[in-house]
Amino acid sequence: MQSNQAILSPVALELSQSRRPLFIVLLALLFLACWLGVSLGAAKFDLVLPLETLVMTLGFNAEAESTAIHNIVLNIRLPRVLMGVLVGAALAVSGASLQGMCRNPLADPGLLGISSGAAVGAVAMIFLSQKLFLVVPSLAHIGPYAISIAAVLGAAITAFAVYHLAQAGGQLQVPTLLLAGVAINSLSVALIGGFNYLADDQALRQITFWLMGSLGGSSWQSVSILLPILGLALWMIHKRRHAINLLLLGEANARCSGVDVDRIKLELLWINALIVGVAVAFTGVIAFVGLVVPHILRLYSDTNYRYLIINSAMLGGALLVLADTASRVIAAPAELPIGILTSLIGAPFFIALLIKQKRALGFVL
Amino acid sequence: MSLKVENLDVSVGTKCLLSGINMECPSGSFIGVIGANGAGKSTLLNVMAGLNAPNSGSVNIDSKNIFEYSASELSILRAVLPQHSDLSFPLNAIEVVRLALSLSAMNVSQQQELLTDCMSRFNVLHLANQNYLTLSGGERQRVQLARVTAQLFSNQHRQKHQYLLLDEPISALDLYQQYQTLDALKLLAKEGIGIIAVLHDLNLASLYCDHLVVLKHGYISAQGSPKQVINESSLKSAFNIDVWLQAHPDTQAPFITPRISQ
């Protein structure tokens, strides 16, 4: 009887094991990142700025000496930080869900070519809209929406193309998946190069902006467009967490366990195209967030999508805000494009992860 | 109430994989599917699982074609253990078994009871907190058996008639675990679950199964109780092998010893 109790305990322990500590750490990290992001910048570094601005905005202290800095905080830094949270969360969740769906730790919107597909869509629309708005100036205000829609379509086309190229015999062929991603990426580079060649100066400047990735264009307007779209998309992915969990066992197992696999894959591809397309349309291509964030979380917790999606969202948001803050501070008053920064930090980090994994499996580099 | 296969034909291109298959698994019975490599055993199991569609014929569970059930309805009626189950990310063994409960609405204490039950049936309770990817092949196989069993037990309005389709469930197990696992499956059958298992060990199939189906080149060359099916001529026909036939001292089930050809 006693030994039976001893055997029972691991089950009880495992099920009652709380994931709350990690959740709280991530929430604190996100809050800290946002606080820093609002406090630091080219105009003024001051850690009490967020509080001051809050007090100002609530109207408690109308006699503040300078309102210019508070305007900067309220109308430039705050929407930018919120954009960082939204886009970082979206890219991380996109990476996490693609990794689960493809059952491969290398899946990521960047490596699979979805981001560059979105960029081609966005660039094509920038190029076309320059021509179109000259002819019909009244259409100019739909610019941001048109670019988003084009980016979503570009992302969807590449997502489906890559996925179907790699699908054979009811299984995803991983080498084909990555090769298809490489092919789509270089095709995108060529297409973007073509648009660059054809574009006039103004369009060219706008196009260059997308390609490097930046949160610099953030405004309350862009936050108000992104918040409902990305919020909905993240919720839709979280709702499918159990199906993604079952997909980890393979498509046949998932199907036998009651998952409508074809429908779930189709839905996940569309949601990912939506997320990546919208994120790219507003901030350009930001690499490595989708790849690295779920990997960092797997170091501290397991792969259970019950928690992985929410945790990825928080860590992705925090990391992108931190990276953006760094990009504003490092070369102030100039700004480093954030896409360069995430790649610069993300790539070596990813290599370190690979080495660590190799060692864990008993290999020596 | 049974899982019934009627006039099943399956072909890919011009190659005929299965033809004219008729068999039935009443709930509570343990059916073994045996046959040489490439005879169509896994194909048959996949079609019965609803993973592949037959060219003609039907698979019915409780008199209703399996393609008329939704994926989730079907998952309550039957669980399937494929030949290989890989996991691409680290999960603890208990989390792998718990995946079977993903779509059910059980509270933690119900889950705990169920997981403990299923994992102890297949001797993997002590592995609960180990990373599945670090387990041996046999341990993984038993964890997967616990998972598919948990899937059948996970529904609160449990169906009376449920089926387990197992593709080589004991292929990676040591001698002791083979018997333990087959005992556990036999117990499940006694509890009312219909079990169809692809098996390679003819002596174990003879000892444990109520009914054997012998596949040869995609058709059923013999079926019936082990005593009816396991004899020199049927094994010569299905496996091209000469055997000594004896009775198992404990159960009198047919027991074979292959002859060595010089």
Side-chain angles (χ1 to χ4, degrees):
Chain A
M1 197 61 217
Q2 207 171 10
S3 69
N4 200 23
Q5 284 289 322
I7 300 171
L8 278 176
S9 61
V11 176
L13 193 78
E14 176 69 25
L15 289 187
S16 61
Q17 187 192 4
S18 175
R19 258 74 171 188
R20 212 165 284 149
L22 182 64
F23 181 84
I24 290 170
V25 167
L26 290 172
L27 199 64
L29 183 70
L30 182 63
F31 183 76
L32 185 75
C34 293
W35 191 279
L36 278 177
V38 174
S39 303
L40 303 181
K44 191 179 177 187
F45 297 12
D46 190 348
L47 286 174
V48 293
L49 262 179
L51 268 184
E52 273 181 27
T53 311
L54 180 70
V55 170
M56 281 277 303
T57 316
L58 294 177
F60 292 129
N61 185 3
E63 305 154 36
E65 288 171 13
S66 155
T67 55
I69 185 66
H70 298 122
N71 262 328
I72 290 179
V73 168
L74 201 60
N75 293 318
I76 296 179
R77 287 189 194 166
L78 195 55
R80 184 167 179 158
V81 161
L82 290 177
M83 279 286 273
V85 172
L86 282 171
V87 171
L91 291 176
V93 168
S94 164
S97 64
L98 285 172
Q99 285 169 17
M101 186 179 89
C102 299
R103 308 207 305 132
N104 190 277
L106 282 176
D108 157 82
L111 287 179
L112 296 190
I114 304 176
S115 299
S116 54
V120 171
V123 167
M125 187 48 83
I126 294 170
F127 176 75
L128 289 176
S129 58
Q130 293 284 340
K131 311 271 176 218
L132 183 69
F133 299 158
L134 282 181
V135 186
V136 197
S138 60
L139 284 179
H141 67 278
I142 64 159
Y145 300 98
I147 291 170
S148 298
I149 291 167
V152 171
L153 284 179
I157 290 169
T158 45
F160 280 91
V162 168
Y163 194 82
H164 284 286
L165 277 174
Q167 185 86 14
Q171 283 216 318
L172 206 62
Q173 308 298 320
V174 175
T176 323
L177 185 77
L178 296 176
L179 288 177
V182 170
I184 296 278
N185 268 326
S186 38
L187 184 66
S188 307
V189 170
L191 287 174
I192 291 170
F195 283 117
N196 273 346
Y197 181 74
L198 294 172
D200 57 22
D201 275 357
Q202 199 191 346
L204 191 60
R205 205 169 306 126
Q206 215 181 338
I207 289 171
T208 313
F209 161 80
W210 296 114
L211 296 182
M212 290 200 285
S214 167
L215 293 174
S218 311
S219 64
W220 282 112
Q221 192 206 358
S222 48
V223 170
S224 68
I225 297 172
L226 276 191
L227 183 66
I229 297 178
L230 293 183
L232 183 72
L234 295 189
W235 175 74
M236 280 160 71
I237 289 187
H238 185 66
K239 248 189 86 175
R240 286 160 180 76
R241 62 195 181 277
H242 296 307
I244 302 178
N245 258 340
L246 283 167
L247 274 171
L248 294 179
L249 290 165
E251 289 186 14
N253 271 320
R255 197 163 282 156
C256 293
S257 307
V259 177
D260 189 342
V261 173
D262 296 321
R263 206 193 74 216
I264 285 285
K265 285 196 303 189
L266 199 69
E267 289 169 350
L268 283 176
L269 277 177
W270 269 113
I271 299 170
N272 270 292
L274 179 73
I275 288 180
V276 177
V278 173
V280 165
F282 280 86
T283 61
V285 178
I286 297 176
F288 276 107
V289 177
L291 188 65
V292 169
V293 167
H295 279 277
I296 300 177
L297 288 169
R298 284 195 194 101
L299 291 180
Y300 296 101
S301 184
D302 56 24
T303 304
N304 198 331
Y305 277 78
R306 221 179 285 234
Y307 316 101
L308 190 66
I309 290 170
I310 294 180
N311 289 347
S312 293
M314 288 193 295
L315 186 61
L319 286 188
L320 198 63
V321 169
L322 285 176
D324 180 54
T325 309
S327 80
R328 284 186 283 141
V329 174
I330 288 173
E335 274 186 23
L336 273 178
I338 191 172
I340 295 179
L341 202 71
T342 55
S343 295
L344 215 55
I345 300 170
F349 183 85
F350 189 64
I351 292 170
L353 268 181
L354 290 180
I355 293 173
K356 192 177 162 167
Q357 245 177 19
K358 235 166 111 165
R359 292 222 172 109
L361 288 172
F363 296 104
V364 183
L365 187 75
Chain B
M1 290 298 181
S2 63
L3 188 154
K4 198 168 185 183
V5 177
E6 285 175 316
N7 302 321
L8 202 71
D9 290 320
V10 178
S11 53
V12 172
T14 55
K15 197 180 172 198
C16 176
L17 299 180
L18 292 174
S19 71
I21 305 287
N22 282 293
M23 60 180 281
E24 187 172 4
C25 174
S27 54
S29 63
F30 191 160
I31 296 195
V33 178
I34 58 178
N37 294 141
K41 305 183 293 294
S42 295
T43 310
L44 176 59
L45 212 71
N46 284 344
V47 174
M48 285 197 275
L51 289 172
N52 296 333
N55 296 64
S56 66
S58 65
V59 179
N60 298 308
I61 292 182
D62 300 346
S63 311
K64 185 172 163 186
N65 193 311
I66 53 168
F67 288 102
E68 289 167 22
Y69 292 102
S70 73
S72 60
E73 286 171 339
L74 213 49
S75 73
I76 296 167
L77 288 172
R78 63 95 184 89
V80 184
L81 178 81
Q83 225 172 83
H84 306 287
S85 295
D86 295 326
L87 189 69
S88 26
F89 295 101
L91 272 183
N92 284 348
I94 189 172
E95 289 290 340
V96 172
V97 181
R98 196 189 187 190
L99 287 176
L101 315 183
S102 294
L103 305 175
S104 79
M106 299 179 110
N107 64 35
V108 171
S109 69
Q110 287 169 321
Q111 288 192 6
Q112 189 174 316
E113 193 182 323
L114 195 156
L115 293 174
T116 308
D117 175 24
C118 293
M119 293 184 85
S120 28
R121 278 172 190 261
F122 294 99
N123 293 330
V124 286
L125 197 52
H126 63 290
L127 305 173
N129 289 331
Q130 287 192 31
N131 180 351
Y132 178 82
L133 297 178
T134 64
L135 300 182
S136 76
E139 288 168 336
R140 289 184 190 194
Q141 202 161 31
R142 277 148 49 211
V143 169
Q144 292 291 348
L145 278 164
R147 178 181 65 80
V148 291
T149 307
Q151 183 186 323
L152 290 189
F153 288 177
S154 69
N155 193 268
Q156 280 161 325
H157 314 288
R158 221 183 115 192
Q159 304 285 317
K160 285 215 177 87
H161 310 288
Q162 293 178 304
Y163 306 90
L164 260 182
L165 307 174
L166 310 169
D167 199 350
E168 301 192 22
I170 55 168
S171 59
L173 303 184
D174 63 47
L175 196 58
Y176 172 74
Q177 294 295 352
Q178 287 182 356
Y179 283 89
Q180 290 282 306
T181 300
L182 286 171
D183 281 335
L185 291 176
K186 194 81 186 169
L187 182 64
L188 285 173
K190 279 207 182 103
E191 292 168 22
I193 290 175
I195 297 177
I196 301 176
V198 171
L199 294 170
H200 272 303
D201 190 317
L202 300 181
N203 285 328
L204 287 176
S206 164
L207 273 176
Y208 281 92
C209 297
D210 308 316
H211 185 94
L212 289 177
V213 174
V214 188
L215 278 182
K216 182 188 176 185
H217 303 315
Y219 67 91
I220 293 179
S221 66
Q223 66 173 317
S225 71
K227 276 189 178 148
Q228 293 168 320
V229 167
I230 297 201
N231 55 56
E232 285 95 337
S233 65
S234 74
L235 295 186
K236 179 72 182 169
S237 152
F239 294 94
N240 192 24
I241 186 173
D242 294 310
V243 298
W244 292 98
L245 199 62
Q246 292 153 299
H248 192 284
D250 291 337
T251 66
Q252 306 306 311
F255 199 81
I256 62 158
T257 313
R259 290 170 188 256
I260 307 289
S261 57
Q262 295 297 332

